Amino acid sequence: MAESLVCPLTVSRVSSVLNRNTRQFGKKHLFDQEEETCWNSDQGPSQWVSLEFPQCIRVSQLQIQFQGGFSSRRGLLEGSQGGDTLNKILDFYPEDNNSLQAFPVPTAQVDRLKVTFEDTTDLFGRVVIYHLRVLGEKVS
């Protein structure tokens, strides 16, 4: 059964934060399960989130909830294991709405993921995400 794989030991990084205001718009809001908080990127040509897991995982699904008007038309999921170079796992194509969107992931065993958001719907390249979930199972 798939479970949420992001835990307190998962190290996350983001491409940018709006006005460097990490308290209000920081990366921690991607995973806090709160409906009122979000990660808000600054402007730029593409935005990304990287995750380093404390152990190897098998990813089965990526879930993202954007704010409509600040989403991405095209996304790229990359992963690696043991410090190797990131490899493409999946291209995905989100809709520009406020719904939680789910993207099935072909079986990928990794300890590092990078989600890149390209071709944003915002004129300035900003992305707003309320929830980012990585589902799958831990590999023992």
Side-chain angles (χ1 to χ4, degrees):
M1 183 170 132
E3 62 178 302
S4 178
L5 298 170
V6 176
C7 70
L9 297 176
T10 303
V11 177
S12 61
R13 292 182 178 82
V14 293
S15 52
S16 64
V17 175
L18 183 65
N19 299 327
R20 296 186 181 171
N21 185 345
T22 57
R23 183 181 178 127
Q24 188 172 2
F25 301 118
K27 62 186 179 183
K28 66 182 180 265
H29 298 305
L30 288 167
F31 316 109
D32 65 6
Q33 305 301 314
E34 297 288 331
E35 296 298 322
E36 302 296 320
T37 63
C38 62
W39 166 59
N40 193 333
S41 77
D42 216 333
Q43 59 187 3
S46 73
Q47 303 297 332
W48 53 264
V49 176
S50 71
L51 301 168
E52 293 177 24
F53 297 90
Q55 69 183 74
C56 197
I57 60 168
R58 191 171 296 118
V59 182
S60 61
Q61 189 177 81
L62 180 66
Q63 294 181 346
I64 306 171
Q65 183 177 5
F66 293 97
Q67 177 178 320
F70 294 90
S71 65
S72 167
R73 293 181 187 93
R74 185 176 64 249
L76 172 64
L77 178 65
E78 298 172 287
S80 68
Q81 189 174 354
D84 291 343
T85 303
L86 289 168
N87 294 305
K88 177 180 163 182
I89 297 172
L90 173 72
D91 285 313
F92 60 96
Y93 301 92
E95 295 180 24
D96 184 19
N97 63 37
N98 299 329
S99 301
L100 183 66
Q101 301 178 54
F103 304 97
V105 176
T107 303
Q109 193 166 304
V110 298
D111 60 16
R112 194 172 119 208
L113 286 174
K114 183 176 181 183
V115 186
T116 304
F117 304 101
E118 301 170 332
D119 193 16
T120 60
T121 57
D122 175 59
L123 183 63
F124 298 103
R126 296 168 295 187
V127 173
V128 177
I129 298 178
Y130 283 87
H131 301 292
L132 177 66
R133 299 183 185 128
V134 177
L135 303 180
E137 59 189 6
K138 296 173 184 170
V139 177
S140 44

